[in-house]
Amino acid sequence: MFERRSPLAPQLAGGGRDGADGRRSMRIGEARGWHLIQIGAHRRSGAALAAAVGRLCGCALPSSPRIVTACGAHRLYRIAADQYWIVTHDAAVTAALARAITPDVGASTALTHARVRLVIEGAAATALLARIVPIDLRSAALPVGSFAQTGVQHACVLLERSDAQRYELYVLRTYAVSTWEWILDSAMPYGYDVHVAQTEQ
Amino acid sequence: MATGPTGNDGMLRIPCPHCGERDYTEFRYGGDASKIRPPHGTADARAWQEYVFLFDNPKGAHLEYWQHVLGCRQWLVLERDTATNAVGKAHLARSQGSP
Amino acid sequence: MFERKPLLGFAGDTLASALLANGLTLAGRSFKYHRPRGFLAAGVEEPNALFTLGEGGRTTPNVAATTTELYEGLVARRQNAWPSVDFDLGAAISLLAPLLPAGFYYKTFMGPRRGSWMWYEPFIRRAAGLGRARHERDPDRYETRHAYTDVLVIGGGPAGLAAARAAAAAGAAVALVEQDSALGGMLLAAPATGALEDWRTELERAVRAMPNVEVLLRTTACGVYDGNTVALLERHDHERPDAGLGKAREVAVTMHARAIIYATGAAERPLVFGDNDRPGIMLASAAQAYLNRYAVDPGRRALVATNNDGAWRSAIDLAVAGIAVPILDQRQHVEPALQDAARRVGIDVRTGALVTRAQGRRAVTGALVAHNGSARVEHLACDLLCMSGGWSPTVHLTSHTGRKPVYRDDIGAFVPGGYAPGQFGAGAVSGEFALSAALRSAAEAGRAAAHYCGHADPIGPTPPPQVADHPFTLEPPRACPRGAGGKAFVDFQNDVTTRDLALAHEEGYAAIEHLKRYTTLGMGTDQGKTSNLNAIHLMAALRGVGIAEAGTTTFRPPYTPVSIGALAGRSIGHHFRPIRRSPLHDCHIANGAAMIDAGPWLRPWYYRWAGGDAAAAYVNEMRLVRSAVGLADISSLGKIDVQWPDAAEFLNRVYVNGFASLPAGKARYGVMLNDDASVLDDGTTARFGEYRYFMTTTTAQAAEVMSWLEFLLQTAWIDLDVQVVSVTDEWAGMSIAGPRARAALALALPEIDAADAALPHMGAREFEVDGVPIRVLRLSFSGELAYELYVPAGYAIALWERLLERAAALGIRPYGLEALASLRIEKGHVAGLELDHRNTLDDLGLGKMAARDKAYVGRELRARAQLQAPGRWSLVGLECLEPSARLRGGAILFARGEALAGHGRGYVTSVTWSTELGKYIALGLYQGGLRHAGEEIVCAYPLKNEQVRARIVSPMFIDPNGERLHV
Ligand SMILES: [Zn+2]
């Protein structure tokens, strides 16, 4: 068997550090145990793609470019007009999607290994993110359950607000260590614990 | 790298039709969008010469391509006033027609 | 600590107020003449009192003492004194003053002998420079962050507070920024008890109590940019931030506001008279601030000289505090109510009185006063001379986005020349100097700004305080009479006098922008906050034109100096830029790789098994690949998933060579051109299914190619149904190369059928090993039998280790970037150094690749005569002819016997030691290219004064027929 490795394996052994006031007001870590597939429709295949997703994921394709569609073990993100991400615990679903989405239905690309999913959670999470992303984090602009594609240190990220004080960041794998170090540096004044979740939630 | 907030290079806010209004640092500039690329296979070298090398330098309203590279990766056509830097509307380049 | 002597002060003091309270009035020496200077102002406009704060790496030069909040442990010293302020050798320069007019440096030292400036420069800089920066690393922490708000109110004076209250009451989220450590603005200089202070306290309490108002103190709005984006600088020095705990000293905030309210107030101007720079001469408002806010007596016998109503308030406060105050107003007619109010507190009121010259040297001792309509000049003694030449609205920020201020005669000052959309003015900045009028304009601005953001809840105006409130009047400043004597300074920081202005005018530098460059007026840390308007007044008078015609200078960010540290934020050290790491990174470190930066990537340069340094190691690694088998990380190549029915047509358009006929199970090398026919990139694309392709690009051009493909598909070829997705991060890549590569693959991965029949040269197949997909492409960069293996990135290390372990018997070892690059030079493959976006397909010897029977991007412009000229610099191989010498990248190529001058006939792009040929070889570009094959040329390397003989040969140094690839 081939062992699967996280690029953050050495970093996650770090433990954490106290903030300026002696407390640790965040948990920062990696969520594992998920699969990501990007699917897209071409001009004539929107309905066919929606049908395939409906059949295999049990939900409609999201119409909003901001709101995450949560549906059982799956989360769906509309990342461009006709492009979607599906994140799921269930490897069987991505495999089934890859098979079902034939060229007349659309296209699929596996991206599970291309991203690392970071979780930042706690009282100082929003203040920390204001130091690393250039977007409006106020709850009217980024409500719980919404997402935004933006950049950290000029590398693209997908940022999801999964709770008022909980954010998930999908970062490019090859930038993951650099982004991780950047986040930890920014988190210094607040203090943090380092945390790994083998399966999400 | 952090955005240099006091850099003298302007601070456009670009309304991405997909993602909403964002900092110009998330985008990549792509040139004059009022120029029409000769259809693929056009054998007329003069048409290509014109398209590739000859540009107007208008003062005022301008249409330009920007790609939301850190966002949805869509190429946009953005209205920008070259005299005031005022940003107008944007539409996805692939959706034809004027903004 | 101040200059190693302890300094006592109170919380809320500035360095300036504490020094004044300790009896220190000499703040430093002037820039050019080394004249003693005191504290002119009490705020950001201070031109004189620049101090150096901190020690070692923390040293910050040129900080205004008037804005430096006192805190425990502050270390400060005066500067621009050689060797010290109190005993100033440079002061001898003031005796030579007539030799130092404007333009002095350039006129005197730039000629007639070239080089004389270089000789004098260190001396001049040392005598005239301001504070000095240090070379040590700054140990403090600086940060950057983004913030968003509906309404940003800039300035926390009465207008800012009232505007914030109005905007917040209407329902808008408000951020109120104030550069000072307290809210109140000019009201902080009012008496510490009384109706005005009670009113201020109540207004501050009301604003702070509003849940949708965020107050940011010690925060300066430095610049206003497009889209109502404002650069703020937050200072935390007063907290003595500990970088070790992650506490930032300064934070640069990019504030994105939907609306901006400028409540930036106004700054008082000096009067221009002889020796108006003596210590003890200060702005009337500054004297009032020191007296009321800091409880410091700025003097015992004061004179107040003015041309406007504003200074009367200061005079009254001084008189009430028991300081004797004659008031000298240049105007004949002053509002009787104001005169009565002054007389009631015992002020000696004199109208039509003009100060012509100050007396005293290290401190002011008196003034000469001319009375209108009389030749009599009176001498009045004083130890404090307060002056007021009127008030200048702080318009700087309003003009950062390109709106020029306009002059208003009635207040003798520039006001904003309109506001950008979503921007509003409140209070003194818009010329409303009387408090009640300022508050009315602030309430209106607050309401309008909230409305602009879509909030329109009703709100009443802030009630004004129950205090006397006079309308403001002023008479334009009168030029100081000729022959009054002394130097009359216009710009204190740059030592620009009325005489310099006259000289600039005579020499034709009369436009304000020229005047600035000729005299340096308005430059420096204060950017002419106290001098610009007086200079414009004086120049207008010299030219005999109105102020509007004389013009104004352009204000640019930053409003006040910003430390470089704050701009850099945390983007320092190894955070300077993001670093990309291969999925195999940890494994390389464990295998003893020396890493090297390659663009954003960290890549293995060479491995310690092969040698102790790169020069020794890469040749051993090359030998390994040529003789046995090596394993290299190629994960940094760009990888793009290309899908859908039109994918074949799409690839056929972007590559110069044909891709329409590429069958499934095969890969093909391809070259892409830019529209102008320069080469964009090369790489291979493999077809894995009817509609599924796997494209690789060079490491360097990966992002460029991806955007270019998206551009074509989204703007020009929207009729093509093609999907492109970057999979660079999804797939790790490794190259297994060498005559034993197939055997190594068979040992390590028996599931993969790599037999020549199953996987011929340029074959591409997908396998599954232990449930993990592996894509195998048989293609070679080195010229040896080689396979590229692609695997989902999470399994990269497992696959790499399996290959090394299971094929160990064959001698497999990893090889690095240096060997990878050297092997391709031997094979004559072009790479990034040759693909520099200037060379054409033909320049690189690849012209034959271009299909004749189809269109491709760049085809038409490739045919241009200039690009087909026979003399173009094109690709050649070079063999070193001198056994004891080496070739070097960047060497300039000359024909044999030709003079070694100019740009030569080409240059060396890539060099390596060839293990096969036993000599240095290179790729280069040479005029006429391979038409000169066999000729001996000279490779000149002027940096090392080397000239080495070389021969032009085919760039394919090894295996020209490709026999090794087809075994
Ligand atoms: Zn977008």
Side-chain angles (χ1 to χ4, degrees), chain A residues 79 149, chain B residues 16-20 22 27 68 71-74 76:
Chain A
I79 59 163
Q149 296 174 91
Chain B
C16 174
H18 184 77
C19 305
R22 295 298 181 85
F27 295 80
H68 196 188
C72 58
R73 293 203 67 90
Q74 300 302 296
L76 323 175

Side-chain angles (χ1 to χ4, degrees), chain A residues 17 20 188-189, chain C residues 58 139-141 236 239-249:
Chain A
R17 65 173 283 157
M188 256 179 90
Chain C
R58 287 200 169 82
D140 285 325
R141 180 181 171 96
H236 296 273
E239 297 165 358
R240 304 193 66 193
D242 181 345
L245 296 175
K247 300 279 262 183
R249 180 183 179 200

Side-chain angles (χ1 to χ4, degrees), chain C residues 686-751:
Chain C
R687 186 172 197 169
F688 283 119
E690 194 184 359
Y691 297 133
R692 187 177 275 265
Y693 293 82
F694 180 66
M695 175 187 284
T696 62
T697 73
T698 61
T699 299
Q701 297 298 325
E704 195 72 27
V705 170
M706 185 68 198
S707 272
W708 172 238
L709 300 182
E710 287 165 328
F711 179 83
L712 291 171
L713 288 170
Q714 294 179 25
T715 70
W717 303 342
I718 51 178
D719 54 321
L720 291 188
D721 265 335
V722 177
Q723 161 141 311
V724 289
V725 178
S726 170
V727 288
T728 302
D729 284 61
E730 176 71 11
W731 296 90
M734 48 199 90
S735 169
I736 182 162
R740 296 182 196 160
R742 187 180 295 132
L745 217 44
L747 268 183
L749 298 166
E751 301 87 342

Side-chain angles (χ1 to χ4, degrees), chain A residues 1-7 9-10 17-20 38-45 82-83 102-103 105-115 130-138 152-155 172-175 177-178 181-182 185-190, chain C residues 141 143-146 148-150 173 243-247 251 256 258 570-571 574-583 586 600-601 641 643-645 691-692 718-721 723 725-730 749 769-770 772 774 792-795 797-799 801-802:
Chain A
M1 281 299 287
F2 286 115
E3 183 203 355
R4 188 170 159 190
R5 294 272 283 265
S6 158
R17 65 173 283 157
D18 294 341
Q38 178 170 332
I39 61 172
H42 50 71
R43 277 170 300 155
R44 293 172 300 277
S45 74
D82 46 12
Q83 300 286 321
T102 51
V105 173
S108 74
T109 306
L111 289 177
T112 304
H113 294 259
R115 297 294 191 282
R131 280 162 163 73
I132 64 171
V133 291
I135 62 167
D136 191 349
L137 299 164
R138 292 178 298 169
V152 175
Q153 274 200 316
H154 297 307
L172 284 170
R173 179 188 189 96
T174 56
Y175 282 112
V177 171
S178 200
E181 290 173 348
W182 182 246
D185 179 87
S186 302
M188 256 179 90
Y190 309 107
Chain C
R141 180 181 171 96
E143 291 181 353
T144 56
R145 70 179 169 94
H146 285 264
Y148 286 77
T149 191
D150 291 342
L245 296 175
K247 300 279 262 183
V251 182
H256 305 276
R258 290 169 72 189
R570 298 300 301 152
S571 298
H574 82 287
H575 294 303
F576 178 65
R577 57 180 178 78
I579 294 167
R580 277 187 108 164
R581 289 172 175 82
S582 152
D586 295 342
W601 292 89
D641 185 28
Q643 294 190 54
W644 276 350
Y691 297 133
R692 187 177 275 265
I718 51 178
D719 54 321
L720 291 188
D721 265 335
Q723 161 141 311
V725 178
S726 170
V727 288
T728 302
D729 284 61
E730 176 71 11
L749 298 166
V769 179
D770 293 354
V772 171
I774 298 179
Y795 301 113
I797 290 178
L799 178 60
E801 286 174 345
R802 183 176 293 191

Side-chain angles (χ1 to χ4, degrees), chain C residues 244-316:
Chain C
L245 296 175
K247 300 279 262 183
R249 180 183 179 200
E250 292 177 357
V251 182
V253 184
T254 304
M255 172 64 84
H256 305 276
R258 290 169 72 189
I260 299 172
I261 296 175
Y262 299 104
T264 47
E268 205 169 24
R269 299 190 294 265
L271 288 168
V272 182
F273 53 82
D275 295 330
N276 58 344
D277 65 327
R278 295 307 186 196
I281 302 178
M282 65 172 67
L283 297 171
S285 57
Q288 189 188 13
Y290 288 121
L291 177 75
N292 288 329
R293 180 173 178 188
Y294 302 110
V296 177
D297 277 353
R300 294 311 305 165
R301 286 186 73 178
L303 288 175
V304 176
T306 184
N307 66 346
N308 68 84
D309 295 345
W312 289 67
R313 195 71 247 165
S314 309
I316 290 168

